[in-house]
Amino acid sequence: MKGLSLFLGCLVPNRYPGIELATKLCLAKLDIDCTDLPGASCCPAPGVFRSFDRTTWLTLASRNIVLSEQMERDMLTICNGCFSTLADANHSIKEDDSAKEKVNEHLEKIGKEVKGNIDVRHIIEFLYEEYGPEKIASYVERQLDIRVAVHYGCHLIKPTKDRGLGNFERPTFFDELVTALGATSVEYPDKMACCGAGGGVRSSMKDRSLKMTEAKLSRIKEAEVDCIVNSCPFCHMQLDEGQSDIKEQMEIEYEIPVLHYTQLLGLALGFPAEMLGIDTDIEKNKKFMNLLDAGMES
Amino acid sequence: MKDIKEVETGILDELKNTSIDASKCMQCGVCSASCPSGRHTTLNIRKLVRIAGKTTDILSSEELWMCTTCYNCQERCPRNINIVDILLDIRAISVHQGFIHPEHRAVCEMLLEYGHAVPINEKNRKKRVNLGLEELPETVHKYVDGLEEVKSLLASCGFGKLIEHTESGVTEDKT
Ligand code: SF4
Ligand code: SF4
């Protein structure tokens, strides 16, 4: 297996740097060979850019892939959107010679060439496939005695024909990685439903996207969980900031902490909340951390 | 000089090619029943599949942009129609005809200028520093040469021109 390069994308470094740090801390603690990927850009985001112009989308994605190819490393993503773009683009490069040729005509202008000789991974499927829940569990320093609503997000697993991670109706791999940390993954209705943000809907029709988010949050709330765990900063933003927007616009209050898996894993590996970007100045996060601490003492 | 009619026929041909698969549709409605957006918006994906490839009216349809690309419809379609792929292709044709939401245009402008759809801001520079990370991430934000490469590629693909396209309506042929 090749080493990895960490593809950051936009939202993680520019809005949720805590997830960046959490990822780096977890990878180091788990002894995973992963380096920075200097000079990468937006993946570019599948919702808007792929919708706009496939050639532009594929060309910019290929430039990011080239950077990792030059390092002879597979790419690691921590965002479902980046995964969707980069895995799909990489697939096109590998399978479709004419697409590859067309892209390389553009890349030639900056002295680059995409070869199609690396893989694109998402941290959830990577940890599951290469480490597995048992090995992850062996690293846990702090058992998390909490109830978790796992949110897979759409593009981690769909389209299933391209992802190859099995059926999308009732997957378990992400849940298994959560239970490996001592937590309970709680079943809830519409668990596989979309957060509402994708496809450029959040940016151009926020009210409508929030209705989908509210529907999802109400199901989660009924399941009485201590937090939501996701694998994508875009879902993360929608489910977290979305709670404030919903409070303002619909006067419905959800006080559910939202964590990216790397943050939850970071807690289980013994890192303090502030190193993982979990802001304990926010009341719901403070309560969540108190709950964890109480679990430790008992 | 092409007249508007010829241009329209060309676009319709493009739509037809993109939507060949949609002709397998038996209008069972499994797609719309699975659609999270359809529950909260006016998006009726079954109807969009029905008219795909048949009319240029679809290009100005607001519903095109209500899809979150969650892929539920495509996964469950008993006829295995690549619904989302078709929808994305129709979106692209629509954009090439100048139908662009101002918010999406803004996102594109960010990409053109910064190489990021969501660039860094003051608040998050500080957040990074407080966490002990470098102020700028290891992306084109830090590597100017990389940003130049991205800009060259965007120019090479004609992306900037696409965004400048007329505000709305089917473009008139100006040649
Ligand atoms: S599920 Fe497939 S066959 Fe049924 S209406 Fe939708 S597109 Fe047509
Ligand atoms: S991909 Fe779009 S149209 Fe299909 S179910 Fe999801 S939101 Fe609806």
Side-chain angles (χ1 to χ4, degrees), chain B residues 3-122:
Chain B
D3 64 20
I4 291 177
K5 201 151 189 169
E6 269 178 73
V7 174
E8 279 237 15
T9 320
I11 299 165
L12 192 59
D13 284 346
E14 239 183 289
L15 281 170
K16 269 188 199 148
N17 285 334
T18 295
S19 314
I20 290 174
D21 217 28
S23 60
K24 292 191 299 192
C25 173
M26 56 181 174
Q27 288 290 300
C28 67
V30 167
C31 51
S32 26
S34 310
C35 177
S37 182
R39 285 187 223 164
H40 303 284
T41 72
T42 51
L43 171 61
N44 180 341
I45 188 66
R46 179 185 58 82
K47 205 174 131 208
L48 281 188
V49 174
R50 177 156 55 81
I51 62 168
K54 296 196 180 113
T55 165
T56 52
D57 291 348
I58 200 169
L59 296 174
S60 56
S61 150
E62 277 287 293
E63 278 77 15
L64 274 184
W65 300 97
M66 292 177 193
C67 166
T68 64
T69 70
C70 80
Y71 285 94
N72 274 6
C73 53
Q74 181 162 321
E75 292 291 335
R76 290 188 182 145
C77 171
R79 286 280 160 98
N80 287 322
I81 299 170
N82 291 326
I83 303 172
V84 185
D85 301 338
I86 294 174
L87 182 115
L88 290 177
D89 284 344
I90 297 176
R91 277 186 177 187
I93 298 172
S94 165
V95 165
H96 283 256
Q97 295 311 313
F99 295 101
I100 304 179
H101 279 266
E103 296 88 352
H104 289 155
R105 194 188 298 270
V107 174
C108 292
E109 279 159 5
M110 291 295 177
L111 183 70
L112 282 160
E113 188 167 350
Y114 303 106
H116 280 292
V118 182
I120 191 94
N121 56 18
E122 262 322 298

Side-chain angles (χ1 to χ4, degrees), chain A residues 14 106 155 158 160 169, chain B residues 69 72 75-76 118 128 156:
Chain A
N14 302 337
H106 291 294
H155 299 129
K158 295 176 280 186
T160 51
E169 308 276 4
Chain B
T69 70
N72 274 6
E75 292 291 335
R76 290 188 182 145
V118 182
R128 295 185 62 86
S156 175

Side-chain angles (χ1 to χ4, degrees), chain A residues 44-46 49-50 53-61 84-85 88-89:
Chain A
F49 303 118
R50 191 185 158 178
D53 190 59
R54 201 181 145 81
T55 304
T56 306
W57 169 80
L58 190 56
T59 303
L60 284 199
S84 165
T85 277
D88 286 354

Side-chain angles (χ1 to χ4, degrees), chain A residues 24-238:
Chain A
K24 288 179 172 169
L25 292 171
C26 291
L27 291 172
K29 190 105 180 197
L30 297 174
D31 283 320
I32 294 170
D33 172 18
C34 185
T35 62
D36 285 329
L37 182 62
S41 67
C42 178
C43 52
V48 174
F49 303 118
R50 191 185 158 178
S51 294
F52 272 40
D53 190 59
R54 201 181 145 81
T55 304
T56 306
W57 169 80
L58 190 56
T59 303
L60 284 199
S62 298
R63 177 184 168 274
N64 287 325
I65 292 169
V66 171
L67 297 177
S68 198
E69 285 183 356
Q70 287 174 335
M71 297 171 82
E72 295 180 23
R73 285 174 175 269
D74 288 336
M75 275 173 126
L76 183 71
T77 59
I78 43 182
C79 165
N80 292 2
C82 298
F83 186 49
S84 165
T85 277
L86 296 169
D88 286 354
N90 202 37
H91 191 78
S92 294
I93 296 302
K94 286 186 179 186
E95 306 292 324
D96 181 349
D97 286 341
S98 77
K100 182 174 163 187
E101 217 174 280
K102 204 165 147 195
V103 163
N104 274 329
E105 279 171 25
H106 291 294
L107 289 175
E108 206 189 334
K109 296 180 188 163
I110 59 163
K112 287 191 161 43
E113 184 193 354
V114 68
K115 299 209 163 68
N117 57 12
I118 59 158
D119 290 327
V120 176
R121 310 295 303 260
H122 185 293
I123 192 157
I124 298 298
E125 61 84 27
F126 178 86
L127 289 176
Y128 188 78
E129 303 276 337
E130 309 300 336
Y131 268 55
E134 272 173 41
K135 192 167 168 190
I136 300 282
S138 73
Y139 283 87
V140 170
E141 288 182 10
R142 172 183 199 167
Q143 294 288 328
L144 307 180
D145 185 15
I146 48 170
R147 290 166 60 82
V148 173
V150 174
H151 172 76
Y152 280 76
C154 302
H155 299 129
L156 173 60
I157 190 159
K158 295 176 280 186
T160 51
K161 66 173 166 42
D162 299 328
R163 296 290 174 272
L165 295 172
N167 188 285
F168 88 98
E169 308 276 4
R170 294 187 78 82
T172 60
F173 58 93
F174 194 173
D175 307 84
E176 290 174 49
L177 289 179
V178 167
T179 49
L181 313 180
T184 305
S185 173
V186 180
E187 284 304 313
Y188 60 96
D190 293 334
K191 180 172 165 186
M192 296 310 292
C194 176
C195 70
V201 179
R202 178 189 162 89
S203 55
S204 78
M205 301 179 181
K206 196 164 177 193
D207 289 0
R208 282 174 250 214
S209 87
L210 285 174
K211 283 188 189 158
M212 286 180 248
T213 314
E214 201 276 320
K216 176 112 203 179
L217 287 170
S218 73
R219 299 299 210 174
I220 291 174
K221 178 125 192 172
E222 281 164 22
E224 295 181 350
V225 297
D226 300 314
C227 70
I228 298 170
V229 170
N230 60 69
S231 58
C232 171
F234 204 40
C235 302
H236 185 96
M237 177 164 72
Q238 185 74 1

